[in-house]
Amino acid sequence: MQHIIIIGNGISGVTAARHIRKLANHRITIISGETDFFFSRTALMYIYLGHMKFEHTKPYEDDFWAKNRIELKRAWVEKIDFAQKKLHLNNESQAFSYDKLILALGSTPNKFGWKGQGLKGVQGLYSYQDLENLEALSPHIKKAVIVGGGLIGVELAEMLHSRGIEVTFLVRENSFWNQVLPPEESAMINRHILQNHIELRLSSELDEIIGDENGQVKSIKTKSGEIIDCQFVGLTVGVSPNIASLRDSFQQGSLETHRGILVNEFLETNMPDVYAIGDCAEHQNPPTGRRAVEQIWYTGRIMGETVAQTICNRPTAYSPGVFFNSAKFFDIEYQTYGQVPAQLPADESTFYWEHASGEKCIRINYNTQIQSVTGINTFGIRMRHEVWDKWLSAGKSIDYVLENLPQANFDPEFFKQHEAEIIAKFNQETGASLRLKSKKGIFSKLFQS
Amino acid sequence: MIQKFGLTLFLAAFGLFVATLGMNEFRLTSEILVKNIKAEQVQEVQKQLAPMMDKVYSNGFAFASDLTSGINQLNKGYDAVQAWDKKFYEDNILALTKASASGYLTDNKEIMFFLTFVLGILGGLIFALSGLQTSAGIKNNGVFFNPAMARKWLGIGIGTFLILFYIALYFYPQFIANWVMLTDPVSQFINGGEASRWFMYGFLYTISVLVMGLRFIVNYRHSKYQVFRTLSVIFFQTCIAFILPEILSNLNLPSADLKNMWPLDYSFFFNYRLDKLIAGGGFGIFLLVWGIFLFLIGTPIMVYFFGKRWYCSWVCGCGGLAETLGDPWRQLSDKSTKAWKIERYLIHGVLVFAIIMTIGVLYTYFTGSYNLLGFIPTEWLKSSYGFFIGSIFSGVVGTGFYPLMGNRVWCRFGCPLAAYLGIIQKYKSRFRITTNGGQCISCGNCSTYCEMGIDVRAYAQKGQDIVRASCVGCGVCSAVCPRGVLNLENAETGTRIMIAPEVLLGNGMGK
């Protein structure tokens, strides 16, 4: 029986632990310095908003771990001795030995060396500690500046706004999240953010953060020279693999890193018996169409499921299926399946439909030559993951997909359906004469697999 | 601003409502006794209540206390000589109290009704409609900071008030005689008579569902499912449960809440009710047949097609109050596995109790024998079920515990009809809550806002459909999910995913 130690109790580490336990009898220990128990990081915003309390964000009851013989250790790992296969913790004198080690260290918010970025009242939003700090500061914040237009930035804007705080949102790009979203979708989110009383400043960059005599932030200066008074600065300019704190151990042990910990297709590092998964891992040969560093809840979970197989003697390559992701921008839900890059690829065509309200839209990209769909963005309309996964895997044609679009509809009963309008627009744009062939609902057991 | 105004107006009206308990003078006279109790008992009652007679009480509480203890003494005496039909019950005591009242309130019921009920409703409506000022979409901001909604001081206060109200309503209505009196104008208007305590209760119940239903619709106006469901519940409470029975009795027909069925309507098969229906002509027979059809045939068919939600969150009166008045507290339901274990024993236990009790009652009705199986007194079964389940569990705990344990304590732990519907839903129904592949981010909103205490997230995060006996299909989990992972659907029973897949969709592992 081996001792498998997992550093990090986020979705990646915990999924690995659960799946290893399902497959084998190894001793499993999860070490975390952040919290005693696994919690859903995606839910941090809801704690601040008052939708939930911290305990509601724990996906498993506290006795789940003992019941499944997964030991939990609350500690920071200070040093990893790869040669001896030992860990040194901050709160224990004796070292922990491992047979196999999984590094699931997560991310850390980026800081790009701005003057004043170390002042009080300046922070990112990633960890539970970040949330606690923000909560403690909140009663004293009247105006806040958020730097960086992405998923965490827009969530932080919603959070601060809920406390009656005036928010100025500095976005470097000329449209929100337009490195990921095509222009129309990005424009929709711009409008929606403004409608929610957030002062969205596009093409606006942070120059420096200015503090008062107590080391507390009091204002910021933009690159155009404007001074904005504030008592809080949220730095949401992306995250990076959380490897800095163990850099010495990695160097001494010659564990190869780049932006993250380098892993092969089996999620193995260059060190035998050491694996890395989730946000902290960097794929040397990412699967086609995938990034080297994937900082998404879903891919972290998939890596956890996969590495467990390899560790339990069933070597399995990381092969995530059709890409998918989701988010929510204030009141607009977003789902994406397949690949819908910000810039349309040369060999693809795109079909875009937007609802009259300007708060719902879909975009389907498809290969111009063979007409097979390559990806979909959907805003404000829920879609079935299973259906799009099947359609994209099978390379169904744009015609087929549009004619059967109701099959993919996952909106609740009585919600207005837009497929007729959507297909009419496509027909009008392309001269096609497609007709709806399916109904909304589950009609076949075949889809359930 | 408007929200604060509405709330202030409501609180002022509510404050006045509570204060009306201190209004009126009370004086028991022999004329009142003559008018309200049987002639042959007047003398002995007068003797027992001698210290009270003709005394002017400026305090309704003191009057009711003295009257109650006097009557209790009398009843003890009757018990001793087994003179059961001479005993006095709550309605008698209430009638005496109401009759003994005089003062500003008695003389100005319409004005007082306006200042308490009408202004209170107006304030409530303004408060409810103020939600239109925020954009459409889920707005649970501040729920767990709210002193009323997060089981803090205000919630505990409201819970205490509700519990005391129910105890008074069921067992000591004489202490809230002034409240019953406030609704006399409405009762006179609708059926020409003075309000009974049940009329007052029905009226309060209906306007709660109406006003709080409107609040819910405003808050969930982005979801047609929620809007339609709430309109349905408002319709069934206002028209079917409140107005229609009044119309029927005005037409001298046997009166009934057509949507109420056994075993929730636990006295349906009691002797006095069966007798009344049989004596009620064609319409009475119709009601008898309808009542039996509803639970024997109608219900299983509806649950097969739609799940138990067709009743529990679209039609039922208890459910209607829970979804509207109880909405601020749905997040207080206990999500633990321990609570689930207790739930399963308790709710099925009540169903068994209800069945045995009804068998006993029917046995007595048809055979005249008072003992089921020779040794179980059916009267005892009847009265203990009525007291513990019908009054305490369903009433006092059912609603009184809203701000303390959530809005569905009765539905989840006690309702025998829910147990029956749940068994059908679990094993043979087209209903399920579908989970959307691998999209769950385990945030926990679904579990938090599930009023039945189902750990919805546990299913969603492993890709298993939610098929649970307790699910009433309110749809709030689907509404609060930020990633569109949950959807209430009806489809072929065989398409329900009852076992979690090995690995979630999205992982191409092994393919």
Side-chain angles (χ1 to χ4, degrees), chain B residues 64-137:
Chain B
S65 292
D66 284 353
L67 182 61
T68 309
S69 50
I71 298 289
N72 282 345
Q73 280 290 97
L74 264 173
N75 280 341
K76 267 202 212 129
Y78 293 140
D79 277 334
V81 298
Q82 302 200 347
W84 317 120
D85 50 350
K86 281 184 143 194
K87 287 179 75 170
F88 293 104
Y89 296 103
E90 295 89 0
D91 283 320
N92 305 117
I93 308 177
L94 174 64
L96 285 172
T97 310
K98 266 186 102 185
S100 305
S102 66
Y104 183 83
L105 172 52
T106 318
D107 296 336
N108 295 283
K109 292 178 193 173
E110 291 81 2
I111 295 177
M112 291 310 294
F113 172 78
F114 177 83
L115 290 176
T116 54
F117 279 83
V118 176
L119 289 186
I121 293 169
L122 195 61
L125 284 174
I126 293 172
F127 180 78
L129 291 170
S130 70
L132 288 168
Q133 292 179 314
T134 47
S135 56

Side-chain angles (χ1 to χ4, degrees), chain A residues 89-102:
Chain A
L89 309 179
N90 69 322
N91 58 6
E92 278 201 31
S93 47
Q94 67 154 11
F96 267 66
S97 286
Y98 63 84
D99 290 301
K100 292 203 157 77
L101 180 68
I102 304 179

